[in-house]
């Protein structure tokens, strides 16, 4: 008797999802290339050049219209899938930067899940903060190299401390 747990049912769905992810990434890379553009332009030029041969018939027009409509329809889904994955990856990277940056507001982690109204409130907050900063400082003045080095050293020191605390906890977990 075959085991039909939800986990076993999820495996085929996950494989199809993974395959479609790879397919969408491949197609967006290929279709976004110079070669793809040149090929598409070539097809349009060949189609246009054959107009007189086919006396600019409705069938001749239907060929390009149908082809471009089908390709556009399918590409919308492929591009959206690739865009969703890329957007999620960027959001995760930004969340990591926020969570790892001393002094950054953790309220902004997963901010993409807020409603439009909540985002507008945050936008107004940061706009007001930017205006106060503009009034209080010279916009042409940048951080010094020394400040950047000091900040980097602090971050590295903090990271080393976190890593060593994690190793101690891991060793304690293993010993128990």
């Amino acid at each position: 008797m075959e085991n039909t747990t939800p986990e076993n049912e999820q495996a085929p769905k996950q494989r199809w999802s993974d395959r479609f992810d790879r397919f969408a990434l491949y197609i967006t890379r290929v279709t976004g290339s110079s070669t793809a553009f040149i090929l598409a332009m070539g097809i349009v030029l060949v189609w246009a050049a054959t107009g007189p041969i086919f006396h600019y018939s409705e069938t001749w027009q239907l060929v390009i219209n149908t082809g471009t409509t089908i390709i556009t329809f399918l590409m919308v889904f492929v591009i959206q899938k690739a865009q969703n994955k890329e957007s999620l990856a960027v959001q995760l990277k930004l969340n990591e930067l926020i969570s790892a940056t001393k002094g950054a507001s953790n309220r902004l982690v997963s901010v993409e899940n807020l409603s439009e109204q909540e985002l507008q409130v945050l936008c107004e907050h940061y706009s007001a903060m930017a205006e106060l900063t503009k009034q209080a400082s010279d916009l042409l003045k940048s951080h010094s190299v020394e400040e950047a080095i000091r900040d980097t050293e602090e971050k590295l020191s903090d990271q080393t401390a976190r890593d060593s605390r994690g190793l101690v906890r891991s060793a304690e977990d293993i010993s128990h």
Side-chain angles (χ1 to χ4, degrees), residues 15-86:
R15 282 194 299 268
W16 278 106
S17 180
D18 290 345
R19 286 180 186 148
F20 188 67
D21 279 347
R22 288 191 302 273
F23 173 75
L25 183 60
Y26 172 76
I27 292 297
T28 54
R29 284 187 179 152
V30 168
T31 58
S33 69
S34 301
T35 304
F37 176 78
I38 291 167
L39 181 64
M41 180 64 81
I43 290 170
V44 170
L45 291 174
V46 167
W47 170 80
T50 60
I53 297 167
F54 294 104
H55 307 289
Y56 303 100
S57 68
E58 286 184 22
T59 304
W60 172 79
Q61 292 177 31
L62 192 60
V63 166
I64 197 77
N65 289 339
T66 303
T68 57
T69 301
I70 291 169
I71 290 170
T72 301
F73 177 74
L74 294 174
M75 285 301 295
V76 164
F77 298 102
V78 171
I79 292 169
Q80 189 61 54
K81 175 67 173 174
Q83 182 63 37
N84 288 348
K85 183 178 178 184
E86 186 175 307

Side-chain angles (χ1 to χ4, degrees), residues 154-173:
E154 286 177 14
K155 285 180 186 179
L156 290 173
S157 174
D158 291 347
Q159 184 63 46
T160 302
R162 279 194 302 272
D163 290 348
S164 48
R165 281 193 303 269
L167 290 174
V168 169
R169 277 191 225 113
S170 296
E172 289 171 354
D173 292 343

